[in-house]
Amino acid sequence: MHDKYEKSLAKLHDEFVGLPQDVRLEFIERFQRHSFSARLDAYHAKRDIFGFGNVCSQTWLLFLSGRDRTDRQGKTTLPLQSLLCGAASEGLASQLVMVREPVVVATAHGSTQSFMTVTTRAQRLQPGAAILLQDRANNRLGNDGYLTDVSVEVMSWRHDGTPAAETEFSWTCTVEGAIAVFISG
């Protein structure tokens, strides 16, 4: 089975290299995905539903955006943590972790009308005694934990509810971050 795979891969490589340069570049560009990330100094306002006022704290906001395309089944997955690049760590003593569910908006592009839905997938880890979560002002956060393995599944749909294959879309995401301080014992 392994030899068959190697031969098929070699044949595919030879056929790809045999294509004209402009076709190869177009193929490569079609399957590249671009995204951008930034870390912003921000403020978190908690509003009281009874109208007694806001409680504000300093925090970080991780902002991601990009352009992508769904597959033939109308789905794609955005691996948020790997798309952050240095935005979660550059210039900081410790890496930022995500402490709230991401807010994601996806907008379809093209002449065919379709709409997009997003589903967040993540694991919530409790910090425990060895990890302390801090906001931007070095205040300790509650024990709600933080998110890991964060990804967003984006799906495109036609007006009749069937998947819309290969739909190009742009997307934005914001998520609150906090410093995870690892305490050695």
Side-chain angles (χ1 to χ4, degrees):
M1 182 76 164
H2 185 67
D3 289 339
K4 184 178 179 182
Y5 169 76
E6 292 293 330
K7 287 179 184 177
S8 295
L9 189 58
K11 183 179 177 184
L12 181 62
H13 175 269
D14 292 343
E15 288 178 6
F16 182 73
V17 171
L19 293 172
Q21 177 73 13
D22 61 330
V23 173
R24 284 191 311 226
L25 291 174
E26 183 179 329
F27 177 83
I28 290 170
E29 181 64 29
R30 176 178 167 92
F31 291 100
Q32 286 181 336
R33 304 297 185 251
H34 300 275
S35 64
F36 307 92
S37 59
R39 177 183 67 236
L40 306 171
D41 290 347
Y43 293 88
H44 178 175
K46 294 180 190 175
R47 293 182 293 169
D48 186 311
I49 62 170
F50 299 110
F52 296 123
N54 294 341
V55 176
C56 296
S57 60
Q58 295 179 0
T59 191
W60 287 280
L61 192 62
L62 298 168
F63 179 79
L64 298 99
S65 68
R67 287 188 65 110
D68 215 303
R69 173 191 296 252
T70 60
D71 62 14
R72 290 182 179 168
Q73 287 75 41
K75 296 180 183 179
T76 195
T77 300
L78 304 172
L80 296 186
Q81 286 180 294
S82 66
L83 298 179
L84 282 171
C85 297
S89 60
E90 185 178 358
L92 297 173
S94 298
Q95 177 132 347
L96 291 178
V97 293
M98 297 180 199
V99 293
R100 305 236 184 270
E101 292 288 323
V103 175
V104 181
V105 176
T107 304
H109 296 275
S111 59
T112 304
Q113 292 183 354
S114 59
F115 65 94
M116 313 298 288
T117 59
V118 295
T119 304
T120 302
R121 305 215 190 290
Q123 293 182 5
R124 182 164 293 278
L125 298 179
Q126 296 305 317
I131 299 174
L132 176 68
L133 296 177
Q134 293 179 328
D135 68 10
R136 193 164 53 90
N138 295 324
N139 296 314
R140 184 174 180 184
L141 297 179
N143 290 330
D144 292 339
Y146 61 96
L147 302 176
T148 185
D149 299 324
V150 183
S151 64
V152 175
E153 183 179 61
V154 180
M155 295 170 284
S156 54
W157 306 93
R158 292 187 181 105
H159 70 282
D160 64 0
T162 60
E166 299 179 348
T167 301
E168 291 188 27
F169 64 96
S170 60
W171 59 276
T172 61
C173 171
T174 55
V175 61
E176 185 177 359
I179 289 285
V181 179
F182 297 91
I183 303 168
S184 59

